[in-house]
Every structure is written in structure tokens, then in C-alpha cells.
């Protein structure tokens, strides 16, 4: 679906059409009559206008107004008086949801947002949604002038900047996003074309069961924040590095790695720096159809979504750090099988700024079209810089840096190789001085492989620079000459051979 053209262009179009139509009309009159055009002093011809009949002097005699089979009157006719507000009829409102009547937004049958079978709300839920939740959300949205007392800065590219909101302010902004009220944000050609979508309009399109589950998750958030005002704060920080490490010369040593095929970044990685496998437009497809790692995190911690209002697309050496969001919902599944899983009572303690101790970093991986492409040194460097930007905290002593909770970053649809990405993240974390907790999401062989390679690299006391040089070597000797889709020798096999071969030779 395309965005509507701006109103002024519709008006201009209407003016042009009407000018064209009236010109055509004149043309027809003159040609048809065969006469010369009337002289300019003649201003009317034919029957004098005063002889033509008009109401109220002329017209049918009206019988008293009343409803009939052929006439629906929407007001109390017995109370009809000139100059008075009219009274709706009947006094007990009725509803119909059929092919003979307008389907109304306030109908209890209006099963927001669609008509798929498992998306249907129970009558009680619908009553609550329409009678309580939506009106409360509208009230919340309308509090924007009072709650947001100063302009919100845009977090633009190539700049460091932070902005801290109360959770209540975020709830107000998200209620506005739900009702699609942010101006200039519905057309892709607007001044905000380098920003993610914020208005939720695309979430209401179509009848995809995914969107129903997404809306359930978001409505649960709105229910919680309208029933009980949240009191914490959330900080959004854009971090833009102007200098990046020289990877081949780094003397940093690898840090500790915990790797597991069970658990999740958000549950078992609590209190750590949690990686959001982001899109460069943060939140990816959360307000549309997307439903993978990043979108799920944005749904269960919906305060993340407000970052889309002000975060310009991330550049290569940039990340967005979000501290203090609350998890409101549980979930099950992933992508097609995603389901809202009910309430989550977030017990995470808060810091002195009243922010929940949940730090999330959005880093966007490259999207690869071919497997071999990602081993090109400039691609590996780009991913190292991106991860490093996400992990480094300039000025913070090493003993105050939490571990990084991460996993298969930029794999899946982005086409990254989990084994390469794991090594790159190890190097970036080492350079930034942080340990890693790695979640493989059920992949046992990946868990063993990554653990083995990490053990090998640390036992042989390799520096980040030495590992990086081996990665480059792998590219030049195995990937660049390769004519098939994948190199014959795997990366980990190559690393093991080179490291064990080197140490066993004198
Ligand atoms: C952002 O802050 C970091 C760390 O303080 C600094 O190294 C970098 O130069 C800053 N970036 C910009 C674009 O000013």
C-alpha cells in the first residue's frame, strides 16, 4: 500500500480537474449551437431565474418525520425541535455487524484488528478493549503537551547524544504511535525518510496471524501502563565512534566465554549488556510484519519501540544503547510460531537513575548475498568495528564492564556464518574488555565448536591481532580462490591446523 499524497496535491489536482471540466463544458455549448459566442454585455438568456421554483416556497408537503422500512431516522423524532441538539435514537444503543449496515469502530463485533479465527477476542476482552483500554490510551496520547514539556532531540548520524524519558512519557509517545498521530511520518519521501517508521498503521493492515499476536503483546503493554503508571526512567544513547581499533595490531587477549545451547539473552543474560541483532533502522519490522529476534525484543519490552521516533539509521561505526526498559510480556515461538505468552512481572532492580538494570545495544550486521563475501577483510573489519562500538564504553574502567550476552548475530536472513560471527564477537569483546555469554538457541554442535575454538585460541595465548591476521589469511588462501559456494576447508579447521601446526613445528 502506498502512502497518501499530501493534501495540498489532492487539492491542486481537484482544481485542475474542475478547470478542465468547465472549459470542456463551454466548448460544447459554443460548438453545438453553431452561433457566435454571446457578446460580453449579454449576461443571461432564456427563462428569467426568478421564475424557477425553489424550496421552501415549493416542494412536497412533508408528513411528520418517522422511521419506516424505507427510512431510518437516527434521532428521537418526538423530541425534534429547531435550534436544539438532537437526541440519538434509540436510547439503548443497538449494534449490527452484517452486510446491510456500516460496521462501526465501536461495535463489540469489531474484533480488532482482523477477522482471523484465532485472532478473535472474547466478548469480555472486546468490551474491555473498546470500553476501557482504547479510551484510556486516547487519554494518555492526549496528555502529550503536558507530559512532553520540551522538544525531543533527534539522535542524528555521526553524533553522540543521549536522551532520558520517564516510562510514562514513553507510554504517551507510544499511544500516539498507536493512533498514528506523528506528523510527516506516513510518507517514505518525507524529511524522516532516514528514520524508522513510528506510526503503527502498517500493523493494522491485512489479517496476518502474526500481526494479531503482535497487537496482543502491545495491547497488554498499554493495558499495564494505563492501569498503573510506571515510574522508572529509560535512557537512549547513540554512540558514534570517530576512531576504530587497528585490528591487525591489537595486543588484547581473549576474554572469558560462557556458551550454552539453552536459555535466552533476555532471561539468562539479565544484568549483562544484551545484544539486539538489529536492523540499521532500529526495531526493523516491529511496526509491520517482522518477527525475529529484534522485533520480539521490541514487543516484549515495548519501550524500545519509541527509539524509532528519533533514531536516524545507524552508520557503520554507530550503535544505540538503551538502558532501563521493562519487560511486560512473555512469549513463545519465533517468527511464524510467535505467540504472546501472557504477563511478565519484571523484577529487575533499578539503578540510582530509577532505570531498570537492563542494558540493550542495537548493532546491525551486514546482509550478505553470498557465503564467501563475509570473509573479505573489509567486511570482517566492518563487523568488528560495529560490534566493538556496541561493546566499548569509553572512560569506564574494565572492572565495571558487565559481560556481553549475545548469540548468532546477523545470521538467519542476514546470511552471516555463526562460526565466523562468534569469533568476530570474541575479538570485539576482548578489545572492549568484556566477557561473553553466548546463547546458541538450541544448537549443540555450534556450542561445542565455538567452545573448542575459544579454548584453542586462549590456550595458545593468541592476541586479537594474531587471530585477525589468521582470518585474513583464511580469506586469501581459502575464500578468494574458491569457485564453489563455500570453501573446502572450514574456518575452524583452518584455524586449528594453523595454530596446532605452528606450535608443533620448532
Ligand atoms: C563519541 O564519543 C566517543 C567516546 O567518548 C568519542 O571517542 C567519539 O569521538 C565521539 N564521537 C563523535 C562523533 O563526536
Amino acid at each position: 500500500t502506498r502512502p497518501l499524497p499530501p493534501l495540498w496535491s489532492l487539492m491542486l489536482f481537484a482544481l485542475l480537474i474542475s478547470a478542465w471540466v468547465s472549459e470542456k463544458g463551454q466548448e460544447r455549448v459554443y460548438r453545438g449551437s453553431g452561433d457566435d459566442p454571446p457578446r460580453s454585455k449579454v449576461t443571461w438568456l432564456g427563462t428569467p431565474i426568478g421564475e424557477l421554483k425553489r424550496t421552501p416556497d415549493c416542494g412536497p408537503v412533508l408528513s411528520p418525520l418517522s422511521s419506516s422500512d424505507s427510512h431510518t431516522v437516527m434521532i428521537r423524532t418526538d423530541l425534534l425541535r429547531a435550534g436544539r441538539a438532537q437526541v440519538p435514537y434509540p436510547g439503548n444503543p443497538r449494534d449490527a455487524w452484517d452486510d446491510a449496515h456500516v460496521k462501526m469502530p465501536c461495535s463489540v463485533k469489531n474484533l480488532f484488528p482482523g477477522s482471523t479465527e484465532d485472532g478473535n477476542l472474547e466478548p469480555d476482552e472486546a468490551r474491555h478493549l473498546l470500553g476501557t483500554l482504547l479510551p484510556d490510551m486516547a487519554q494518555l496520547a492526549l496528555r502529550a503537551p503536558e507530559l512532553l514539556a520540551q522538544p525531543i532531540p533527534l539522535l542524528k548520524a555521526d553524533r553522540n547524544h543521549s536522551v532520558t524519558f520517564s516510562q510514562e512519557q514513553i507510554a504517551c509517545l507510544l499511544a500516539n504511535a498507536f493512533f498514528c498521530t506523528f506528523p510527516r511520518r506516513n510518507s517514505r519521501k518525507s524529511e524522516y525518510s532516514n528514520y524508522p517508521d513510528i506510526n503503527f498503521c502498517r500493523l493494522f493492515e491485512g489479517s496476518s496471524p502474526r500481526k494479531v499476536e503482535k497487537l496482543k503483546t502491545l495491547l497488554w503493554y498499554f493495558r499495564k501502563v494505563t492501569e498503573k503508571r510506571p515510574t522508572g526512567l529509560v535512557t537512549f544513547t547513540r554512540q558514534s565512534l570517530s576512531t576504530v581499533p587497528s585490528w591487525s595490531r591489537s595486543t588484547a587477549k581473549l576474554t572469558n566465554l560462557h556458551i550454552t545451547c539453552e536459555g535466552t539473552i533476555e532471561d539468562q543474560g539479565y544484568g549483562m549488556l544484551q545484544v539486539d541483532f538489529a536492523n540499521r533502522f532500529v526495531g526493523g519490522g516491529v511496526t509491520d510484519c517482522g518477527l525475529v529476534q529484534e522485533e520480539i525484543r521490541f514487543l516484549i519490552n515495548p519501550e524500545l519501540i519509541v527509539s524509532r521516533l528519533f533514531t536516524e539509521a545507524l552508520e557503520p561505526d554507530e550503535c544505540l544503547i538503551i538502558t532501563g526498559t521493562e519487560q511486560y510480556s512473555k512469549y513463545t515461538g519465533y517468527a511464524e510460531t510467535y505467540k504472546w505468552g501472557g504477563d511478565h512481572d519484571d523484577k529487575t532492580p533499578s539503578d540510582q537513575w530509577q532505570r531498570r538494570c537492563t542494558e540493550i545495544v542495537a548493532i546491525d550486521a551486514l546482509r550478505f548475498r553470498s557465503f564467501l563475501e563475509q570473509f573479505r577483510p573489509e567486511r570482517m573489519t566492518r563487523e568488528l568495528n560495529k560490534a566493538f562500538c556496541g561493546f566499548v564504553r569509553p572512560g569506564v574502567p574494565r572492572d565495571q564492564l558487565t559481560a556481553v550476552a549475545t548469540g548468532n548475530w546477523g545470521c538467519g536472513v542476514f546470511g552471516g556464518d555463526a562460526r565466523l560471527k562468534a569469533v568476530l564477537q570474541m575479538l570485539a569483546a576482548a578489545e572492549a574488555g568484556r566477557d561473553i555469554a553466548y546463547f546458541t538457541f538450541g544448537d549443540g554442535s555450534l556450542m561445542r565448536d565455538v567452545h573448542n575454538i575459544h579454548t584453542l585460541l586462549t590456550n595458545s595465548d593468541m592476541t586479537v591481532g594474531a587471530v585477525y591476521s589468521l582470518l585474513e589469511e583464511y580469506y586469501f588462501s581459502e575464500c578468494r580462490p574458491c569457485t564453489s559456494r563455500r570453501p573446502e576447508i572450514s574456518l575452524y579447521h583452518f584455524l586449528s591446523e594453523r595454530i596446532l601446526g605452528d606450535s608443533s613445528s620448532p
Side-chain angles (χ1 to χ4, degrees):
T1 53
R2 296 165 54 206
L4 286 175
L7 202 53
W8 65 262
S9 63
L10 283 176
M11 288 166 69
L12 186 62
F13 186 64
L15 278 175
L16 287 172
I17 290 284
S18 63
W20 180 76
V21 164
S22 63
E23 218 172 300
K24 284 278 167 198
Q26 284 177 16
E27 225 174 283
R28 191 165 52 241
V29 169
Y30 301 145
R31 291 217 187 109
S33 70
D35 295 335
D36 290 337
R39 299 205 176 163
S40 57
K41 68 175 181 183
V42 176
T43 62
W44 63 271
L45 296 167
T47 307
I49 196 164
E51 291 178 18
L52 302 182
K53 290 181 268 194
R54 310 175 192 253
T55 56
D57 301 332
C58 177
V61 179
L62 292 174
S63 54
L65 177 61
S66 67
S67 276
S68 68
D69 284 350
S70 62
H71 185 180
T72 305
V73 179
M74 305 287 289
I75 55 137
R76 283 275 295 271
T77 53
D78 56 325
L79 299 176
L80 181 63
R81 300 283 184 282
R84 291 249 200 97
Q86 307 303 339
V87 180
Y89 178 83
N92 270 339
R94 273 184 295 156
D95 183 36
W97 190 265
D98 55 32
D99 58 7
H101 297 89
V102 171
K103 294 189 170 76
M104 293 294 286
C106 44
S107 168
V108 293
K109 299 275 178 41
N110 184 11
L111 301 178
F112 216 95
S115 52
T116 52
E117 279 311 306
D118 51 11
N120 286 353
L121 296 175
E122 299 299 317
D124 276 355
E125 282 181 291
R127 244 189 303 281
H128 181 266
L129 175 64
L130 296 157
T132 308
L133 183 52
L134 287 177
D136 286 354
M137 287 167 62
Q139 286 304 318
L140 180 60
L142 289 168
R143 289 178 62 208
E146 159 214 343
L147 283 175
L148 284 304
Q150 58 173 304
I152 301 166
L154 294 172
L155 301 185
K156 295 197 182 196
D158 305 320
R159 270 185 235 174
N160 294 315
H161 194 80
S162 296
V163 50
T164 297
F165 297 94
S166 68
Q167 288 180 293
E168 188 172 29
Q169 288 172 325
I170 294 172
C172 169
L173 291 168
L174 290 178
N176 277 279
F178 183 93
F179 292 114
C180 307
T181 59
F182 286 105
R184 314 258 178 147
R185 298 303 286 265
N186 292 322
S187 158
R188 297 214 183 264
K189 284 207 199 91
S190 73
E191 65 208 83
Y192 291 104
S193 58
N194 205 29
Y195 288 76
D197 285 340
I198 180 66
N199 288 332
F200 287 7
C201 22
R202 277 163 216 280
L203 208 49
F204 307 128
E205 289 173 354
S207 57
S208 143
R210 281 182 174 215
K211 289 185 177 175
V212 174
E213 291 303 316
K214 290 170 86 160
L215 277 169
K216 279 188 193 171
T217 315
L218 291 170
L219 287 171
W220 182 253
Y221 161 74
F222 284 118
R223 181 167 181 166
K224 285 184 85 171
V225 295
T226 51
E227 284 178 356
K228 184 165 182 290
R229 293 161 77 154
T231 57
L233 302 189
V234 180
T235 302
F236 299 82
T237 298
R238 187 186 191 102
Q239 176 158 281
S240 179
L241 297 184
S242 25
T243 51
V244 289
S246 163
W247 293 102
S248 59
R249 287 201 289 272
S250 167
T251 55
K253 291 284 169 61
L254 292 194
T255 46
N256 299 313
L257 169 76
H258 167 86
I259 187 161
T260 172
C261 60
E262 285 178 343
T264 60
I265 291 174
E266 66 271 14
D267 289 341
Q268 282 68 32
Y270 69 87
M272 300 181 188
L273 172 61
Q274 303 176 346
V275 177
D276 160 19
F277 307 156
N279 191 287
R280 61 187 294 264
F281 290 89
V282 292
V286 66
T287 53
D288 199 337
C289 339
L291 199 42
V292 293
Q293 195 250 9
E294 171 165 58
E295 286 93 357
I296 292 174
R297 197 70 205 271
F298 275 54
L299 289 170
I300 60 175
N301 290 37
E303 285 145 356
L304 292 166
I305 296 174
V306 85
S307 62
R308 295 163 70 82
L309 181 60
F310 47 74
T311 308
E312 192 170 12
L314 298 176
E315 293 295 321
D317 303 334
E318 299 189 318
C319 67
L320 181 72
I321 304 154
I322 309 102
T323 310
T325 60
E326 178 172 346
Q327 182 180 339
Y328 291 82
S329 290
K330 293 186 174 36
Y331 72 99
T332 58
Y334 192 80
E336 293 304 337
T337 61
Y338 173 88
K339 288 259 182 298
W340 176 62
D343 181 47
H344 179 84
D345 184 14
D346 191 336
K347 295 255 178 24
T348 310
S350 298
D351 65 14
Q352 293 96 315
W353 292 5
Q354 299 312 310
R355 303 179 304 183
R356 279 196 166 62
C357 295
T358 299
E359 186 183 8
I360 296 171
V361 64
I363 48 174
D364 54 303
L366 287 175
R367 189 183 285 259
F368 298 112
R369 273 152 297 136
S370 76
F371 183 79
L372 290 168
E373 190 188 342
Q374 61 193 304
F375 296 94
R376 298 167 69 106
E378 71 274 14
R379 299 281 196 277
M380 294 194 292
T381 307
R382 190 276 185 196
E383 301 298 68
L384 282 168
N385 291 340
K386 174 64 73 171
F388 175 72
C389 177
F391 302 165
V392 72
R393 294 294 175 268
V396 178
R398 203 179 164 117
D399 62 356
Q400 293 171 23
L401 291 171
T402 57
V404 177
T406 190
N408 298 341
W409 173 49
C411 303
V413 292
F414 275 61
D417 173 44
R419 285 163 178 80
L420 172 63
K421 274 293 196 299
V423 173
L424 293 175
Q425 293 188 86
M426 278 179 214
L427 301 186
E431 186 68 22
R434 315 184 85 129
D435 295 333
I436 295 188
Y438 196 109
F439 299 88
T440 69
F441 307 112
D443 189 337
S445 73
L446 178 67
M447 175 182 74
R448 282 182 292 277
D449 287 358
V450 174
H451 169 75
N452 289 342
I453 205 77
H454 178 266
T455 308
L456 178 66
L457 297 173
T458 42
N459 285 352
S460 51
D461 213 24
M462 305 261 305
T463 61
V464 166
V467 178
Y468 179 76
S469 299
L470 283 181
L471 293 179
E472 279 192 335
E473 221 180 282
Y474 178 68
Y475 173 72
F476 288 111
S477 72
E478 304 301 326
C479 300
R480 203 169 54 169
C482 174
T483 53
S484 53
R485 217 180 72 76
R486 281 166 178 265
E488 246 165 61
I489 297 179
S490 77
L491 172 65
Y492 284 9
H493 186 82
F494 178 88
L495 292 176
S496 314
E497 296 254 291
R498 292 289 282 104
I499 293 164
L500 296 171
D502 281 1
S503 63
S504 58
S505 62

